[in-house]
Amino acid sequence: MLRLEHVSRRWSEFSVEDACLDCSRGEYFVVMGPTGAGKTLLLQLIAGIYYPESGKIFINGRDVTFHPPEKRNVGYVPQNYALFPHLNVHDNIAYGLKFKGYSKPEIEKTVREIAEHLEIGSLLQRNVETLSGGEQQRVALARALAVNPLILLLDEPLSALDSKTRENLRGYLRRINRVFRVTVVHVTHDLVEAVSLADRMAVMSRGRILQVDRPEQILTRPSSPFIAEFTGSINVFRGYATPRENMTEIRVSSLSLWAAGSRRGEVTAVVRPESILLAKQHPQTSARNVFRGTVVGVEPRGAVYAVTIATNSGLTFTSYITRSALLELELRRGDQVYLFFKASEVHML
Amino acid sequence: MWLKPSSLTLAFSVLGSILILFLAVPVLLLYLTTPVESMLGIPYDEEAVRAVLLSLLAATTSTGISLLFGIPLAFILARYTFSSKSFVEAVVDLPLVIPHSVAGIAVLVAYSSRSTVGGLLNNLGIVIEDSFWGIVAAMTFVSATILINAARDGFQAVDREYEHVARTLGAPLHRVFFSVYLPLSFKPILSGAIMTWARAMSEVGAILVVAYFPKIAPILIVDRFMNYGLAASQPIACTLLTISIAIFMVLRFLARRR
């Protein structure tokens, strides 16, 4: 479907070096890496916004290496969405259809259909500058999907949104991928976002693709110290999931983790360190996951502190807390603490 | 509650007010000292009417030419980098620093019938010396810079991601230009065109050299002032001022509304 063969390109301070990729039809492919890794440039090379200095790009078996963007049939949603400010929502979505030779009634029909699908039917006459971040995101997706692209390229689609909207849109992106049977290449710097969405993912650093694999493999078998460090920054557990009480119970050794949703079978569960809260006393909380453990390490990690806690059942959790929280809790190695997090913060792969 | 303004705000307001008065008072006094009945006579002053119409027509033609050739140039300057770019930009800005009489001489040297280019123009029936096209050429020479720079800044302010998205949606670059770049730069281009037009309307120096005849309004004013004195030049000066301000205001209003 999409194949990159040894693609290289430098642009400004960014570069893509010797990139090789192979995505199949309908695959949700995530490219993950820190800021400046060259992820956006990789996306723009696929879109045809820039041409590679060497290597080849194939879409559907066709060599498109030097085809202009308008001849590639890809949908591109940049990080800032780039909705045309002089057009309303309807005209934004209809923009690409004019170039497909659609008649007026066909354009109307397609715009309505796609707007219904993406639940933005009521926004069609709105000025794009009055939309919320989540709405803008949906309109940008609708505009890209309207022309029926073979590949949908998403540049950090969730980074500009608040955490609740982000949570909603994550499921939404997966649905789009399935309903429209479109291959998605999604770029992000967020590991949890990557592993919870991807069929397969690539980890990129300094222009190079370091590993391409299924998220579970990347988390459990990182191929390089760099990836290990990256994946070490989140909590990863392998366990057996059983649906229970409208939720999922995941047995990990002798512990039960509770996750939102319903799943059965072997799963990999991930929890962000910043989602795990700490307390000295048993917390008054609605969070389903509350465990007791011993502090085994406190380490500064940029603006936050990484607190490592070993539970009595032998699992280790890492929690990120702020300096003021650390001082308030007076945490030292050997202290007994409670750690807790919501079921919705547990992502099952 | 009233906040006490800081001494800086106060001092700047006083300095600014002095300049505003310096600018506004002459315009105001020109109106106040011109007898109304002398202005009412202007429509019957055939030479004056002809001069004002000629000014309007020449300035509008000149602005049209600046738009036609300036917008493509501005787009190239905004969107591409090339080795001679700073040289081209210097050429664009050059007319701003040339004294207007010198600009007139230069236009005459380059495009009069005795020059090579002028000879070619001559064959097309276009003569520069003492002609409508001479006026237009001089106006364009001194005013095109404003349009080019305004349009370039306008194009530059358009986020490149709009173009990237439009292209992936199937629009070739020329369609992107008309459907994205032009509408998004409409305001700066329009206000640039208004300033270009105003600059062309107000030119005297270069036109004095290139085409004293047919007389445009500013030249007729100079002419009357030199031959008959201040009082004789005031009515037509006042008329030209009124027309210029009126058109300027209408265009500004339209530019704001869009």
Side-chain angles (χ1 to χ4, degrees), chain B residues 42-60:
Chain B
I42 287 289
Y44 307 101
D45 179 344
E46 220 175 279
E47 192 184 24
V49 171
R50 218 181 307 126
V52 169
L53 289 179
L54 182 62
S55 272
L56 293 173
L57 183 64
T60 309

Side-chain angles (χ1 to χ4, degrees), chain A residues 154-329:
Chain A
L154 309 175
D155 191 0
E156 298 274 6
L158 304 176
S159 67
L161 306 171
D162 60 81
S163 62
K164 193 165 161 50
T165 315
R166 199 183 309 165
E167 207 62 41
N168 289 337
L169 272 169
R170 199 153 41 194
Y172 188 80
L173 288 176
R174 256 340 286 233
R175 275 205 300 286
I176 285 176
N177 167 237
R178 295 215 187 91
V179 171
F180 292 87
R181 283 192 211 92
V182 61
T183 306
V184 175
V185 180
H186 170 143
V187 153
T188 180
H189 65 275
D190 185 317
L191 180 61
V192 174
E193 185 178 312
V195 298
S196 54
L197 273 168
D199 291 323
R200 282 188 316 141
M201 58 187 278
V203 183
M204 242 183 128
S205 169
R206 295 188 190 169
R208 292 196 173 272
I209 294 175
L210 303 177
Q211 189 175 2
V212 180
D213 217 325
R214 288 154 46 78
E216 295 90 327
Q217 294 296 315
I218 300 236
L219 291 174
T220 51
R221 291 192 187 79
S223 70
S224 72
F226 172 83
I227 301 175
E229 193 180 311
F230 226 97
T231 53
S233 68
I234 63 170
N235 299 287
V236 182
F237 307 100
R238 302 271 306 161
Y240 192 86
T242 322
R244 191 160 294 168
E245 301 166 32
N246 289 328
M247 285 204 219
T248 299
E249 182 188 17
I250 308 165
R251 295 293 300 177
V252 185
S253 67
S254 63
L255 262 186
S256 281
L257 290 184
W258 289 89
S262 170
R263 279 279 287 275
R264 184 182 293 278
E266 290 285 336
V267 292
T268 301
V270 298
V271 185
R272 275 174 216 275
E274 53 270 38
S275 304
I276 300 180
L277 305 174
L278 303 179
K280 279 258 164 124
Q281 311 296 328
H282 195 288
Q284 299 291 319
T285 172
S286 60
R288 282 303 297 260
N289 300 290
V290 182
F291 306 108
R292 191 145 185 261
T294 312
V295 175
V296 293
V298 179
E299 247 180 78
R301 189 75 57 84
V304 294
Y305 284 82
V307 180
T308 318
I309 298 134
T311 64
N312 304 335
S313 53
L315 286 188
T316 306
F317 289 87
T318 303
S319 161
Y320 286 170
I321 62 173
T322 60
R323 185 182 161 75
S324 62
L326 182 76
L327 292 173
E328 202 175 304
L329 288 166

